[in-house]
Structures are given as C-alpha cells and as structure tokens.
Amino acid sequence: MAGSETGFDHYLDAKGLNCPLPVLKTKLLLNRMQPGEILFVEATDPHSVVDFEAYCARTGHTLLRIDEGEEIIGFTISRAENPRKI
C-alpha cells in the first residue's frame, strides 16, 4: 500500500485502538523509519487528533496533514531528522 503512488512510505492501521495505543504504535514505527520518510496512520479514536498534535510538537516530527472523516482520521507524518526523546 505504501510507495510513491500513495504519497507515503509506511502505513499504520490504528483503527479500533484507544488512547494511548495509536501514538505508542506510531512512535515505535517512526523509530524504525529513516529521516524524511512519510508515515500515514489511520485511527478511529477522536482524541487521537490532540494526541498526535502534542506528540509531533514534542518530538519534532512534522504532522503534515490531518484528514478527519466521519469515522476514520488520517494522519500524515514526516519523520524528523533528529527527533526529541520523550
């Protein structure tokens, strides 16, 4: 599913997971990614918007886009060169 045709390098399905699991799973995947790679996360927890905004602000990863659908929220994140540890 990932690749140049999708606009992201990695995909994480966090649908059905509640706080803090979407961000924790995202953190683990971002730690394995190369700087500048793009991660697309799909989540259903409405609180995840606040969680992802705070996580990216604290770590230095760039939250490129939030797509809020009726049930699924998509997050597009660019991995930081040197993310801050939290």
Side-chain angles (χ1 to χ4, degrees):
M1 184 169 191
S4 59
E5 67 281 354
T6 59
F8 54 87
D9 302 296
H10 301 274
Y11 170 77
L12 175 63
D13 181 353
K15 296 187 296 284
L17 301 177
N18 292 319
C19 178
L21 289 176
V23 169
L24 291 176
K25 288 184 174 283
T26 296
K27 178 182 177 181
L28 292 173
L29 185 50
L30 284 168
N31 285 342
R32 297 192 312 259
M33 291 170 49
Q34 295 299 313
E37 286 188 321
I38 305 297
L39 171 62
F40 181 69
V41 181
E42 287 186 313
T44 51
D45 181 1
H47 195 266
S48 63
V49 173
V50 173
D51 293 341
F52 276 93
E53 288 173 337
Y55 173 74
C56 289
R58 292 177 65 193
T59 59
H61 297 299
T62 303
L63 184 55
L64 299 171
R65 183 177 172 138
I66 300 173
D67 295 302
E68 292 190 61
E70 286 188 34
E71 295 181 21
I72 298 173
I73 307 159
F75 300 92
T76 306
I77 303 167
S78 177
R79 189 200 188 276
E81 182 75 34
N82 293 302
R84 292 183 292 279
K85 305 284 184 205
I86 59 168

